[in-house]
Amino acid sequence: MATEYKPRKPAWSLRRKLLLIALPLVLVIGLALGLGLGLTLGRDHNDDDSDGDNNGPEPPSTTSPPPSPPPTNGTAWKPAVNSTWQIVLQGAISVPQDAKSVTPDVSIFDIDLFDTSKDTIDTLHRLGKKVICYFSAGTFEPRRPDSGQFKGQDIGKALQDWPDEKWLRLGSEDVRRIMKGRVELAREKGCDGIDPDNVDGYQNDNGLDLTKDDSISFVSYLSNISAQHNLAMGLKNAGDIIPQVLDMVDFSVNEQCVQYAECGTFKPFIDAGKPVFHIEYPDNAGTELGTNTVLHYCGNDGDAEGREGFSTVLKKMDLDGWVEFCDQKVAVTAT
Ligand SMILES: *[C@@H]1O[C@H](CO)[C@@H](O)[C@H](O)[C@H]1NC(C)=O
Ligand SMILES: *[C@@H]1O[C@H](CO)[C@@H](O)[C@H](O)[C@H]1NC(C)=O
C-alpha cells in the first residue's frame, strides 16, 4: 500500500474524558456527604442506564449475558453506495417518540451502541431511517457497562492521545466473547448494522505485538458474528487490509482520507458496490464552512482524488450533532 497511515485520534474522546473526570468526583462527593446521599448518587448513576435500553440498571458484569436471539439466516441490510448519512457519537441523539422528522433528513444514522436507547432506534426506524451502531471493538474503554469483563493480560498500551483508552489483544477468546456480547446488544436494540472501531491496532504502538493478520482475523470473526445476527458491518479506516477483508464487510467508515490524500485506498469499496461513509474534520467545522473548504473536501481531484461516490460529511472532531454536507447544507442533530 502506497499510503502510510498516521494514527488517528479517536474523535469523540472529549466526552469520555469529561465523564472520567466527573464520575470519580460524583462518587467522592457522594461518600463525603454520607452514606444515604452516596447511595442516592450511586443509584442515580445506575439509573442513567448507560446502555440506554430502558431496562433499568445493567446486571453485574459477572453474570452471563442475556440469551441472544436465535441466529438468523435472513439477509442483513446492505447499505447502498452514495447513501446519505449522519454520525453523532457525542451523547445520545434526541428524537421524541412522536417526532414527524429528524434532522438532518438523511437515510442512515451512525450512533453510539451503548448511549442510544432502543426507543430512539425504534423511532428512527419509524421515520424510515437505518441505524448503524458504533462501538470500540479494538480498545478498552473504562466506562462501558461490560468493561469489568476484560482481563489485564489482554490490555495493551494507551492510545497515543487518550491515556484512558487502551489497545486490546484481538486474538483473545475473552475479548472476542465480550465483542460478541456487543454484537448481540446491537441485535437486541434493533440496529441494522455495526461500526466496530479501532480494528487497526497494528498501525500503532500497541504493546501487544498486534499484527495485520491479527486485524484480518478479528474482522473475520466480527463479520461471522454480525452475519449470524443479521447485521451489516463496516470496516473503520484500516486501509491496508481492505484487499483481505473487503468481501467480509458491507461498507467502509473512513476518517480524513482527503486530509491524508488517500481516498483512492478506499475506492475498492465503491467498485464493489459498497458505500464509503467518509468523515473530514475541517478546522472551522461547527460554523458554516466556506465554499473553498467544502470544495476541497468534496472534490474528486487533488487531495480528494478517488473520493468519487463517497458519502462525505464534514464534522467537528468531537462528532457532536453539527454536520455540513457537500451541497453546503448545514444541520444540527439534537442531542
Ligand atoms: C448521490 O447523491 C447525491 C445527493 O444525495 C445526488 O445528488 C447524486 O445525484 C447521487 N449520485 C449518484 C451517482 O447517484
Ligand atoms: C468465519 O467463518 C468462515 C466461514 O465459516 C471461517 O472459514 C472462518 O474461519 C471464520 N473466521 C473466524 C475468525 O472465526
Side-chain angles (χ1 to χ4, degrees), residues 12 15 19 49-53 89-93 111-117 120 134 143-144 189:
W12 51 286
R15 173 177 53 120
L19 276 166
D49 194 19
S50 53
D51 76 345
D53 59 6
L89 301 181
Q90 171 98 264
I93 71 168
I111 49 189
D112 189 90
L113 167 65
F114 290 107
D115 292 346
T116 308
S117 69
T120 295
Y134 169 98
R143 79 169 185 95
R144 297 306 188 177
K189 285 193 170 185

Side-chain angles (χ1 to χ4, degrees), residues 37-253:
L37 185 51
L39 282 175
T40 306
L41 287 174
R43 242 183 67 81
D44 281 352
H45 170 62
N46 280 338
D47 283 351
D48 84 17
D49 194 19
S50 53
D51 76 345
D53 59 6
N54 291 339
N55 289 335
E58 282 301 289
S61 56
T62 45
T63 61
S64 35
S68 49
T72 51
N73 295 317
T75 40
W77 165 67
K78 305 282 178 211
V81 169
N82 202 34
S83 299
T84 56
W85 76 305
Q86 156 74 313
I87 178 166
V88 180
L89 301 181
Q90 171 98 264
I93 71 168
S94 160
V95 201
Q97 257 174 290
D98 58 355
K100 300 223 161 28
S101 63
V102 56
T103 303
D105 187 21
V106 291
S107 44
I108 300 165
F109 281 81
D110 188 341
I111 49 189
D112 189 90
L113 167 65
F114 290 107
D115 292 346
T116 308
S117 69
K118 185 173 189 313
D119 283 346
T120 295
I121 294 171
D122 289 346
T123 302
L124 287 169
H125 283 154
R126 186 176 54 71
L127 295 170
K129 311 306 178 192
K130 295 292 184 185
V131 179
I132 294 173
C133 292
Y134 169 98
F135 62 92
S136 181
T139 63
F140 170 82
E141 307 163 285
R143 79 169 185 95
R144 297 306 188 177
D146 56 5
S147 295
Q149 295 179 36
F150 291 99
K151 298 204 169 122
Q153 70 210 30
D154 292 331
I155 300 177
K157 285 193 182 170
L159 273 63
Q160 209 173 12
D161 297 300
W162 309 107
D164 298 319
E165 183 166 352
K166 303 197 166 88
W167 296 104
L168 284 171
R169 192 183 301 282
L170 302 181
S172 153
E173 290 301 319
D174 280 308
V175 168
R176 291 185 177 198
R177 179 182 47 77
I178 295 163
M179 294 310 154
K180 181 165 176 269
R182 292 183 178 186
V183 173
E184 286 164 356
L185 178 62
R187 183 65 192 158
E188 284 156 23
K189 285 193 170 185
C191 311
D192 301 290
I194 55 165
D195 173 11
D197 197 8
N198 299 309
V199 297
D200 52 3
Y202 65 90
Q203 291 173 350
N204 299 270
D205 180 19
N206 55 68
L208 298 165
D209 297 322
L210 294 174
T211 64
K212 237 162 95 163
D213 283 343
D214 289 327
S215 284
I216 293 164
S217 167
F218 190 58
V219 169
S220 165
Y221 173 77
L222 290 173
S223 163
N224 288 1
I225 299 296
S226 57
Q228 282 166 26
H229 292 80
N230 227 13
L231 291 160
M233 175 181 143
L235 178 70
K236 178 72 172 289
N237 296 322
D240 41 18
I241 63 169
I242 291 173
Q244 292 90 343
V245 304
L246 180 58
D247 288 346
M248 303 174 195
V249 293
D250 304 300
F251 56 92
S252 160
V253 180

